Every structure is written in C-alpha cells, then in structure tokens.
Amino acid sequence: MFAPARKSTGRRIAVPFVLVLTAFALGGCELPTFGGFRGATTQAKTESTLWSQMVILGIGVAMIVLVLILWSAFRYRRRDERMPRQFSENIPLEIIYTVIPCILVGIIFWATVVGENSIDAVSSHPAEIVNVTAYRWGWRFSYNSSTGVSQNVLVQTSSEPKVFPQSALSSLYPQMVIPAHSTIRIVLQSVDVIHGFYIPAFNFSRYAQPGVINTFDFTTTSTGKFKGQCSQYCGLYHSEMLFGVRVVPQATFSQWLASHKS
Ligand SMILES: [Cu+2]
C-alpha cells in the first residue's frame, strides 16, 4: 500500500542521481564547470573541481527538496471537505532533516579546507621566483632566476597611464612571462594602496597590500596567454591596471630571460 509506493518514489529520485555521480567518478570524466574556468594551473584545477562538486551537491539537494515539495503538494492536495489527519510532531523525521544538513555542511567544510590547503601550499623548491609589485597604476615583475640574477623587466613607469586598447594581452601592458610545467613562486606586494592580483584563468586573486608580502605558488600545466587585472578598486585608473600572463615552453622562457637581463 503506502509504504512500498514511498520507497519506489525515493528510489526513482536517488538512483539516477547516484548513477550519474558514480559514472563521473569511475569514468574519470571531468566534472562540468558550470561556467567557471577549468583552470590553467594545478591549483586552479583544484579550485575548479571544488566549485563543480559544490554545485553538483547543491543541484542534488535542490532536486530532492523540489521533488518532496511537489510530491507533498500533489499527494496531499485538498480533495474533499473532510478534515485531514492531524498530528503535531515526527521526531525521527526531525532528527533526519537536522542531521543530514549538518553532515552536508561538514562535507563542504572538509572539502574546502583540504582544497584550500593544497592551493595555498608553497613548494620548498620553486623553479622560478617572480616578485610582483603593484602600484598606481601598473605592475612590476622582477625575477629571481635559478642563476640568482635579479632583473627588472617590463616596467610600466608612467603614473598617468595612456588609455590603451582594453586588452590585457596587448604588449602595451606589462607581461608576466613564466615557464610551463613548472612551479612558480609569486612574491606579491604593493607600494601604495591595496590592489588585487587577479588572473581569472588561474581561478586566483589575492590582495597586494602595502607593508604585507603575500607568497603563493602557481604550478603551470600548459602554455597559453591569459589576462590579468587589478581586482580591488584603487583609484582613478584602476581599470587600466591590466597585465598579461604568458606561459611559454621552458626553452623560450630561458631565452626570454637571457634577453632581458638588466
Ligand atoms: Cu589597483
């Protein structure tokens, strides 16, 4: 009668959802990104996976809630003038709908801590160290290469910037050149106000703060050109604080570094 019907409804909802998740897990398929960037660094991919898992979990919860609402509304709709059965509490149900959200929040918290720890982890042997200095209105990139050569390159010196075409990839903006398949240490600071060092394709943004040095790693995966920008409103020419990121093969990077020795 009633009990078997409820069981099969629950199964009808849960089984396809679990099957889809299992197929993704076992098939080694990449999770859908739901409009986010897949990511061009190892850290960015971790962030992307975390995002995808959260959205899938959210969709799962939303589907279950929606089905339960619709089922309740149709199954128990008013059919005649009789007063329905009256009851005031259901302790097992109340425990279930308190414990399950707590478990879900616990899973989200755990996944976030593990993911963020791996994103923020810094290597003891980075292949290259790039000192990034933000200033109104530009970016300075200097390199501590493995040869110990310190270089100042691609400095945008004007404090009253020309308004360039709005493409960070334009060579008129400072370009941060880094090698592919390497762990790059970024040492970030600001000389005036708070700026934001943001590379959308790296799923990464961090404050550049005066008096504070922020240190983090990017482990590049493939070559490519990416846009960077200031993500913290810092004044009149904030919108002009663009930069490019060029991830190039190691040989190209070595040549570029040699040609830019100061
Ligand atoms: Cu800025």
Side-chain angles (χ1 to χ4, degrees), residues 31 47 59 65 73-74 108 111-112 116 119 123 139 149-150 168 177 189 195 197 201 205 217 227 229 235-236 243 252:
L31 296 169
E47 190 67 57
I59 291 173
V65 170
F74 285 104
I108 291 171
T112 304
E116 295 289 317
I119 290 162
S123 160
W139 303 89
V149 180
S150 180
V177 181
Q189 58 182 318
H195 300 277
F197 179 77
S205 178
D217 284 1
K227 292 171 183 170
Q229 64 191 78
L236 189 59
F243 60 97
T252 311

Side-chain angles (χ1 to χ4, degrees), residues 195 230 232 234 238 241:
H195 300 277
C230 180
Q232 190 64 32
C234 54
H238 161 69
M241 280 190 66

Side-chain angles (χ1 to χ4, degrees), residues 80-129:
D80 50 44
E81 298 305 313
R82 277 181 298 165
M83 178 68 91
R85 188 163 67 90
Q86 300 295 302
F87 55 92
S88 63
E89 62 188 28
N90 187 328
I91 299 294
L93 187 64
E94 284 164 23
I95 291 173
I96 287 170
Y97 71 57
T98 304
V99 169
I100 289 179
C102 287
I103 292 172
L104 291 179
V105 170
I107 290 171
I108 291 171
F109 183 79
W110 171 79
T112 304
V113 169
V114 171
E116 295 289 317
N117 279 348
S118 107
I119 290 162
D120 288 336
V122 286
S123 160
S124 52
H125 297 95
E128 203 67 43
I129 298 174

Side-chain angles (χ1 to χ4, degrees), residues 174-250:
Q175 304 289 307
M176 183 172 80
V177 181
I178 51 178
H181 307 291
S182 309
T183 297
I184 313 300
R185 165 76 38 79
I186 306 290
V187 180
L188 177 66
Q189 58 182 318
S190 166
V191 291
D192 39 46
V193 298
I194 298 176
H195 300 277
F197 179 77
Y198 177 39
I199 305 171
F202 286 12
N203 289 333
F204 193 92
S205 178
R206 189 139 299 172
Y207 275 164
Q209 286 171 280
V212 175
I213 293 176
N214 277 326
T215 305
F216 45 89
D217 284 1
F218 292 139
T219 305
T220 52
T221 50
S222 55
T223 58
K225 291 180 177 178
F226 309 101
K227 292 171 183 170
Q229 64 191 78
C230 180
S231 58
Q232 190 64 32
Y233 181 66
C234 54
L236 189 59
Y237 292 107
H238 161 69
S239 63
E240 281 301 303
M241 280 190 66
L242 304 180
F243 60 97
V245 179
R246 284 163 51 203
V247 183
V248 297
Q250 182 65 53

